[in-house]
Amino acid sequence: MISLGCAKNLVDAEIMLGSVLERGMQITSSAEDADVLVINTCAFIDSAKEESIDAILEAHQQRGLYKRANQRLIVSGCMSQRFSEELREQLPEVDAFIGLDQVRELGTIVERVLQKPRTPNAERRTSNADNSAFDVGHSVFDVSPLNFVTRRPTYIPDYDTPRFRLTPPHSAYLKIAEGCNHPCSFCVIPQMRGRHRSRTPESVLTEIRALVAEGVREINLISQDTTYYGMDLWEERAGPRQPVDSTRGLTLARLLREIEKIEGNFWIRLLYTHPAHWSDELIATIAECRHVARYIDIPLQHIDESMLRRMRRETSRAHIEDLIDKLRAGIPGVALRSTFIVGFPGEMESEFETLLGFIERTRFERLGVFKYSREEGSRAAKMPAQIPAEVKNERHRRAMTLQQKIAHQIAAAKIGTAQKLLVDQPLVARTEADAPDVDARVLLSEPAPVGEFIMRQIHGSRGYDLLA
């Protein structure tokens, strides 16, 4: 399996591989040896779609090189969910497309695909697709690809869903909900992954206990909107401007209080929290829970008032600034991570300058910047005043140059402090302020036990990274 995209997609990949093992098959790290190859795709932005298409075509070309013409090629993930009908026409090399509702069923789908004969046709073809990645000649097989995709996903994993974890033994992702109810004008995730649906607390807690018993030291809670957890189960429907209060029903704060009762030495890290659903109760809960990392991932996307309205972010500038003040005051030592979009349709230079001023004042410990991607089917794709690529590139450069300066200053300020570290490799670790794969590292001068917590004195910095 080749899995692309975010951590949420990675969990889907782990479930698919668990389903394969459940059916008595084996997993190999060599594509050349495999009877079936799965490309788990991403379709979040244009570059992700291009990467997915390239991976599919390369996989097909490789099976021709190592003379495995009978090897089956299956495409899964967000791009398969969103474009399966179009892809069936444009990529006859693929044997089957599966959607997000079928991740638990990959094992049985593989069995069906393997029963389907593949008879190569002598014809060659060149696609008329807009994406130049399609414009390649390939052998065509005389059986059209199977399509298992359902339009509106409803699946959500449970604690006993078989998984073959692809992360290091000491770190895991745990999906507490699936889907999204937000109407952001730049995004099509609700169209692909359906409406928000939360797992039960019992399901989440049972899985956490099992992971801790296996020796996992870091559990990253993920969903499209982690702070909306449980609110879809309220008797009275929870809206974006309603107060988040555990007296009204299940909330993330209540879940964290239950996690706190689990014995063991581990971190819980919150990823993908939407600013609209934070509460004073949640801030106090994080501050009081020893297991919850002082790390908040809160994608804000912009700060200019008119931009937030056009993006349909359901939050105002005043709300965001007040929330940041509360987070910093209520959770001592918290590290804030955010992401912003530059080059959104109609973004004027003055609005971009407002964003730069906000970044400079707020001094996020971790920050990423995306160049706006025009997604077919989104409201923003139809908006006038689309921004030229060269302007997006220039604004991205300016924002990241500013953040680089801030991040280097924050790293240098850590010199001389003692930090609790989680060791990923003998000479590489991470602080509480660093999520796996996306944030900075701590480079160790002496080997340390992998998968364990250690205390070390920081004696230097190198760019974003610390030295200890």
Side-chain angles (χ1 to χ4, degrees):
M1 173 172 287
I2 297 171
S3 187
L4 307 170
C6 67
K8 298 177 283 290
N9 218 32
L10 183 69
V11 171
D12 292 343
E14 294 176 336
I15 292 170
M16 284 189 278
L17 292 178
S19 168
V20 164
L21 290 172
E22 190 180 40
R23 301 296 294 184
M25 303 173 205
Q26 292 180 325
I27 299 168
T28 175
S29 59
S30 169
E32 185 174 349
D33 295 334
D35 298 299
V36 178
L37 185 61
V38 180
I39 310 293
N40 192 32
T41 60
C42 177
F44 182 51
I45 55 177
D46 283 342
S47 59
K49 286 180 281 191
E50 291 168 8
E51 183 184 25
S52 296
I53 293 296
D54 289 343
I56 294 167
L57 295 179
E58 182 179 357
H60 174 67
Q61 291 166 343
Q62 288 296 320
R63 68 178 168 183
L65 290 175
Y66 46 69
K67 297 179 172 58
R68 289 296 301 270
N70 288 323
Q71 184 185 73
R72 305 305 200 267
L73 180 57
I74 296 177
V75 173
S76 62
C78 287
M79 194 171 73
S80 181
Q81 176 70 38
R82 187 177 175 197
F83 299 114
S84 64
E85 292 297 335
E86 298 92 327
L87 293 174
R88 283 183 78 195
E89 296 179 8
Q90 296 172 344
L91 291 173
E93 298 85 356
V94 175
D95 294 284
F97 293 93
I98 71 173
L100 300 171
D101 261 355
Q102 287 73 46
V103 295
R104 179 67 179 81
E105 304 164 25
L106 179 64
T108 54
I109 290 172
V110 165
E111 291 172 342
R112 283 190 59 183
V113 171
L114 287 172
Q115 293 169 1
K116 175 183 165 187
R118 302 188 86 244
T119 309
N121 191 322
E123 296 178 8
R124 308 286 282 180
R125 60 99 183 173
T126 300
S127 169
N128 293 322
D130 292 335
N131 191 324
S132 60
F134 287 112
D135 298 337
V136 193
H138 299 290
S139 299
V140 178
F141 290 80
D142 59 9
V143 183
S144 63
L146 298 173
N147 190 0
F148 297 92
V149 179
T150 54
R151 275 296 134 202
R152 277 285 179 181
T154 59
Y155 174 78
I156 184 169
D158 207 347
Y159 70 91
D160 58 353
T161 302
R163 279 174 67 184
F164 179 78
R165 285 206 290 116
L166 298 170
T167 52
H170 60 275
S171 181
Y173 293 102
L174 195 159
K175 190 181 289 189
I176 63 172
E178 181 59 277
C180 183
N181 291 358
H182 289 287
C184 303
S185 59
F186 52 81
C187 184
V188 293
I189 285 176
Q191 299 172 34
M192 290 189 286
R193 289 192 171 262
R195 292 190 62 77
H196 182 101
R197 46 205 187 273
S198 300
R199 288 171 60 176
T200 64
E202 294 76 17
S203 173
V204 174
L205 293 168
T206 301
E207 186 168 355
I208 290 175
R209 291 189 191 101
L211 291 170
V212 172
E214 292 174 16
V216 174
R217 294 285 183 258
E218 176 181 59
I219 300 170
N220 302 282
L221 301 188
I222 60 172
S223 68
Q224 270 69 43
D225 178 5
T226 312
T227 33
Y228 198 79
Y229 173 78
M231 294 168 65
D232 56 311
L233 304 177
W234 291 5
E235 288 186 14
E236 180 188 352
R237 186 178 174 185
R241 293 175 182 82
Q242 290 179 303
V244 183
D245 184 349
S246 290
T247 62
R248 304 181 62 197
L250 178 62
T251 61
L252 179 61
R254 188 189 293 184
L255 176 67
L256 293 178
R257 294 286 187 188
E258 292 301 313
I259 294 172
E260 184 66 8
K261 299 175 185 177
I262 298 175
E263 294 296 326
N265 187 17
F266 62 94
W267 278 337
I268 289 288
R269 190 181 298 279
L270 301 180
L271 301 179
Y272 314 114
T273 72
H274 193 287
H277 305 306
W278 275 87
S279 65
D280 294 345
E281 178 191 20
L282 179 56
I283 293 171
T285 298
I286 292 170
E288 294 164 12
C289 289
R290 72 190 189 284
H291 285 318
V292 182
R294 272 51 178 168
Y295 174 98
I296 303 301
D297 173 40
I298 182 167
L300 297 174
Q301 314 306 7
H302 219 282
I303 193 60
D304 182 87
E305 201 71 69
S306 62
M307 292 296 297
L308 291 170
R309 285 195 298 271
R310 295 204 295 276
M311 289 181 171
R312 302 186 64 172
R313 288 292 291 163
E314 302 178 313
T315 52
S316 66
R317 175 174 181 166
H319 172 88
I320 292 169
E321 292 178 333
D322 182 55
L323 175 57
I324 289 172
D325 289 342
K326 286 182 175 181
L327 288 169
R328 289 236 161 102
I331 311 172
V334 69
L336 298 183
R337 175 180 175 82
S338 192
T339 54
F340 293 106
I341 296 173
V342 296
F344 187 83
E347 183 188 50
M348 296 184 293
E349 180 64 22
S350 60
E351 293 167 332
F352 174 67
E353 290 286 351
T354 297
L355 175 60
L356 286 183
F358 176 68
I359 293 172
E360 188 159 27
R361 287 192 308 277
T362 307
R363 295 178 63 82
F364 292 94
E365 284 77 11
R366 307 287 181 258
L367 183 70
V369 178
F370 287 98
K371 290 174 277 191
Y372 168 73
S373 176
R374 190 176 189 176
E375 293 305 304
E376 178 187 348
S378 69
R379 289 175 178 266
K382 303 172 185 175
M383 289 181 177
Q386 297 285 328
I387 305 296
E390 57 269 21
V391 176
K392 294 182 194 176
N393 293 337
E394 190 260 348
R395 289 178 180 173
H396 178 268
R397 181 190 58 77
R398 287 166 61 192
M400 286 310 300
T401 299
L402 171 60
Q403 177 58 24
Q404 184 180 62
K405 180 185 73 172
I406 294 169
H408 290 183
Q409 291 170 350
I410 289 172
K414 298 288 185 184
I415 297 172
T417 65
Q419 297 286 327
K420 181 180 180 180
L421 309 177
L422 179 58
V423 183
D424 287 329
Q425 299 171 35
L427 294 172
V428 179
R430 285 180 289 115
T431 72
E432 198 170 349
D434 298 303
D437 298 325
V438 295
D439 290 326
R441 305 170 302 167
V442 181
L443 307 178
L444 306 175
S445 57
E446 297 178 358
V450 174
E452 297 297 334
F453 291 115
I454 60 173
M455 289 297 296
R456 288 291 185 273
Q457 191 88 1
I458 305 301
H459 66 74
S461 63
R462 184 182 300 163
Y464 295 102
D465 296 334
L466 300 176
L467 308 176

